[in-house]
């Protein structure tokens, strides 16, 4: 488990960055590709038809817009999982929703197949913000009419598109041509964590309009915004569906960085979102980097992918944030740890983190760090900055083998 503790020598002061919904807010209430077969009254179009009403609320999904070419469509992860005929149906639905058609004719009578294809389209296409994820179908002898639901159309859609484009431009201004792909991925991860508030009741909270324009969303909005922004920079980014053990449905991403795949969860990048228990005092810039470019093994401690999707394997640890930043430990040396702790506040860092290679090493170091090293470092900080008292918060995360200390420099 994860515990938040205030420093022993501190006065408690509330200075949270942003108030968000509790962890329960991660549960995205949705029916996944559910197809309800009915025979209710419906305007008769011929003598032989049956009605299908589909509530394809795509597991916490919804959508967004910007021009995408047919070539880009063909490159979608979920598109590639479809058969040749299904890809044609996918293209037909995609073209139909771009044109805001009331219904799209598809040469199949399989309503469940059509619902799956629409679900996959929404997973691949974060730009479809004007679609609301629902649909209904009228099935004839040799075809069906597919009726997608829309959040907005016409002028309202165009207004929102312009707002999204402005928000994307603002974000991407922070990316330079010299940046590596990892630098771009980390920048987008940090940008979204710092600019979005997790709010379970936010309007349009399944799509990028909520996250990029309104700056309030849930996991689907975070993950779609990450997917969309990565796509704008030429980085492959997959929308991943699954759940959090004991909590419920959840969405996150897998990114391709220079030919290797990595797990990434922007929603979980916000430690204030993860736990607001025990009145934790966290700095405004606090970010949880455990969910930036991590492995399947690491993310599986908290997340479970939909195994039916066969996502790319994420096995490389070369972009682990803690390894890159010298915060990863395969051995515990008390003096070295205190020295690095001191260096963190000598250089004005907002936090110090130590992530251990395994649980055995974490438990070996835990008591010494909590009972000796953190108080000693806090005393050193007070002396270094001439402070009469020091405010700090430390976070113990046994599941992720990590301890983080957040320093408060206010006198």
């Amino acid at each position: 488990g994860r515990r938040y503790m205030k420093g022993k020598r501190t006065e408690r002061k509330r200075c949270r960055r942003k108030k968000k919904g509790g962890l329960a807010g991660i549960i995205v209430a949705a029916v996944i590709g559910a197809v309800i077969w009915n025979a209710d009254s419906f305007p008769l179009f011929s003598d032989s038809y049956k009605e299908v009403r589909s509530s394809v609320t795509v597991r916490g999904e919804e959508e967004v817009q910007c021009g995408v070419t047919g070539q880009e469509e063909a490159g979608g992860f979920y598109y590639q999982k479809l058969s040749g005929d299904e890809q044609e149906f996918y293209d037909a639905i995609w073209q139909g929703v771009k044109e805001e058609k009331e219904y799209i004719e598809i040469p199949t009578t399989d309503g469940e197949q059509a619902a799956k294809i629409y679900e996959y389209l929404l997973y691949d296409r974060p730009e479809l913000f004007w679609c609301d994820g629902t649909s209904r179908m009228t099935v004839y002898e040799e075809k069906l009419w597919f009726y997608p639901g829309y959040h907005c159309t016409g002028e309202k859609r165009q207004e929102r598109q312009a707002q999204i484009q402005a928000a994307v431009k603002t974000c991407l201004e922070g990316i330079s041509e010299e940046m590596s792909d990892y630098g771009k991925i980390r920048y987008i991860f940090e940008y979204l964590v710092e600019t979005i508030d997790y709010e379970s009741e936010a309007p349009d909270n399944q799509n990028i309009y909520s996250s990029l324009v309104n700056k309030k969303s849930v996991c689907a909005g975070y993950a779609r915004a990450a997917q969309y922004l990565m796509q704008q920079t030429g980085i492959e980014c997959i929308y991943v569906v699954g759940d959090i053990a004991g909590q419920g449905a959840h969405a996150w991403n897998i990114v391709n960085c220079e030919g290797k795949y990595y797990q990434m969860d922007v929603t979980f990048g916000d430690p204030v979102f993860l736990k607001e228990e025990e009145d934790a005092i966290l700095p405004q810039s606090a970010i949880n980097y455990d969910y930036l470019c991590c492995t399947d093994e690491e993310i599986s401690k908290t997340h479970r992918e939909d195994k039916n999707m066969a996502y790319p394997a994420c096995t490389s640890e070369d972009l682990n944030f803690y390894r890159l930043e010298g915060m990863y430990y395969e051995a515990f040396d008390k003096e070295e740890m205190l020295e690095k702790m001191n260096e963190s506040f000598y250089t004005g860092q907002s936090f110090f983190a130590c992530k251990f290679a395994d649980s055995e090493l974490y438990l070996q170091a835990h008591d010494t760090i909590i009972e000796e090293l953190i108080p000693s470092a806090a005393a050193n900080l007070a002396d270094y900055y001439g402070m009469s008292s020091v405010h700090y918060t430390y976070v113990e995360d046994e599941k992720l083998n990590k301890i983080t200390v957040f320093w408060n420099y206010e006198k």
Side-chain angles (χ1 to χ4, degrees):
R2 182 183 293 102
R3 292 196 297 157
Y4 290 85
M5 302 294 293
K6 65 179 181 179
K8 297 176 182 177
R9 304 178 26 170
T10 73
E11 295 173 16
R12 197 62 186 259
K13 209 162 121 183
R14 196 173 189 81
C15 56
R16 275 199 197 132
R17 168 164 53 125
K18 44 194 178 185
K19 178 69 175 176
K20 301 185 179 182
L23 186 58
I26 200 170
I27 300 174
V28 183
V31 180
I32 305 166
V35 180
I36 305 168
W37 299 82
N38 288 321
D40 298 343
S41 60
F42 198 70
L44 294 177
F45 299 101
S46 73
D47 292 332
S48 60
Y49 82 100
K50 64 180 176 181
E51 179 193 341
V52 180
R53 296 198 180 186
S54 172
S55 210
V56 187
T57 315
V58 191
R59 196 180 299 203
E61 312 291 301
E62 286 165 51
E63 354 329 341
V64 240
Q65 184 238 330
C66 233
V68 179
T69 67
Q71 189 174 21
E72 288 172 313
E73 291 171 32
F77 172 78
Y78 294 95
Y79 181 91
Q80 299 296 342
K81 298 174 73 65
L82 300 172
S83 68
D85 287 344
E86 288 175 329
Q87 289 179 350
E88 291 184 9
F89 303 161
Y90 177 112
D91 292 337
I93 297 174
W94 173 222
Q95 186 61 36
V97 298
K98 285 194 292 187
E99 297 174 6
E100 301 173 8
K101 287 187 175 180
E102 180 185 2
Y103 70 89
I104 299 127
E105 185 175 306
I106 303 175
T108 182
T109 58
D110 188 339
E112 290 187 0
Q113 179 190 44
K116 180 192 77 171
I117 292 166
Y118 189 45
E119 180 179 355
Y120 282 15
L121 172 67
L122 299 181
Y123 288 159
D124 274 339
R125 302 267 60 91
E127 64 273 12
L128 297 176
F129 68 87
W130 63 94
C131 300
D132 67 11
T134 65
S135 65
R136 58 186 175 86
M137 298 170 235
T138 303
V139 180
Y140 296 88
E141 287 184 344
E142 296 181 352
K143 64 185 177 182
L144 63 77
W145 285 5
F146 186 88
Y147 293 78
Y150 298 114
H151 277 303
C152 60
T153 56
E155 289 186 7
K156 186 175 181 181
R157 170 184 160 188
Q158 297 306 316
E159 290 172 3
R160 290 193 169 194
Q161 181 61 61
Q163 291 175 293
I164 290 169
Q165 289 174 331
V168 170
K169 182 176 182 294
T170 298
C171 171
L172 298 185
E173 284 174 349
I175 293 180
S176 66
E177 293 183 3
E178 295 75 27
M179 272 189 180
S180 64
D181 281 356
Y182 171 73
K184 295 173 185 176
I185 292 168
R186 177 172 168 178
Y187 168 81
I188 291 171
F189 179 88
E190 293 173 338
Y191 179 88
L192 294 175
V193 169
E194 292 170 354
T195 58
I196 303 173
D197 288 347
Y198 188 95
E199 191 170 301
S200 59
E201 301 302 320
D204 302 310
N205 63 20
Q206 299 295 299
N207 62 54
I208 61 170
Y209 185 78
S210 66
S211 47
L212 295 179
V213 178
N214 290 336
K215 309 296 187 184
K216 292 178 172 57
S217 197
V218 296
C219 61
Y222 279 81
R224 288 187 178 282
Q227 182 185 25
Y228 187 66
L229 292 170
M230 297 291 180
Q231 288 175 352
Q232 305 311 300
T233 64
I235 294 173
E236 179 187 2
C237 184
I238 301 167
Y239 185 97
V240 179
V241 293
D243 63 21
I244 303 302
Q247 294 296 328
H250 187 52
W252 64 98
N253 302 102
I254 287 176
V255 294
N256 183 340
C257 185
E258 299 180 0
K260 296 179 183 178
Y261 287 98
Y262 302 86
Q263 297 277 356
M264 184 183 78
D265 189 342
V266 181
T267 311
F268 270 51
D270 190 336
V272 179
F273 165 77
L274 284 173
K275 288 288 184 182
E276 289 190 308
E277 61 189 29
E278 301 188 33
D279 272 348
I281 300 175
L282 300 177
Q284 186 169 357
S285 58
I287 294 176
N288 188 343
Y289 289 99
D290 291 271
Y291 299 93
L292 169 65
C293 294
C294 63
T295 63
D296 292 335
E297 180 181 3
E298 186 74 1
I299 207 165
S300 67
K301 296 175 181 178
T302 50
H303 296 49
R304 296 186 299 197
E305 295 177 351
D306 183 338
K307 296 302 181 185
N308 294 323
M309 296 302 183
Y311 292 111
C314 304
T315 58
S316 177
E317 296 185 348
D318 60 349
L319 297 183
N320 180 292
F321 171 84
Y322 301 97
R323 288 180 181 272
L324 293 176
E325 300 297 323
M327 301 176 182
Y328 188 86
Y329 296 87
E330 296 178 302
F332 174 58
D333 182 290
K334 178 178 174 180
E335 286 71 27
E336 178 190 3
M337 184 74 68
L338 180 58
E339 182 179 344
K340 288 195 172 183
M341 226 177 258
N342 290 337
E343 286 177 6
S344 70
F345 60 75
Y346 290 157
T347 55
Q349 300 299 310
S350 62
F351 73 98
F352 167 82
C354 46
K355 187 175 180 71
F356 296 95
D358 54 48
S359 58
E360 182 179 352
L361 187 58
Y362 169 84
L363 293 174
Q364 174 192 334
H366 176 275
D367 290 352
T368 301
I369 292 172
I370 300 301
E371 296 172 10
E372 298 180 36
L373 300 188
I374 294 177
S376 294
N380 293 338
L381 188 156
D383 291 341
Y384 187 77
Y385 287 100
M387 301 166 68
S388 59
S389 64
V390 175
H391 303 260
Y392 65 90
T393 299
Y394 64 88
V395 182
E396 308 168 47
D397 196 328
E398 184 174 352
K399 183 174 288 187
L400 297 177
N401 302 321
K402 184 185 67 172
I403 298 172
T404 307
V405 188
F406 296 98
W407 308 117
N408 186 333
Y409 295 92
E410 294 180 7
K411 294 186 179 181

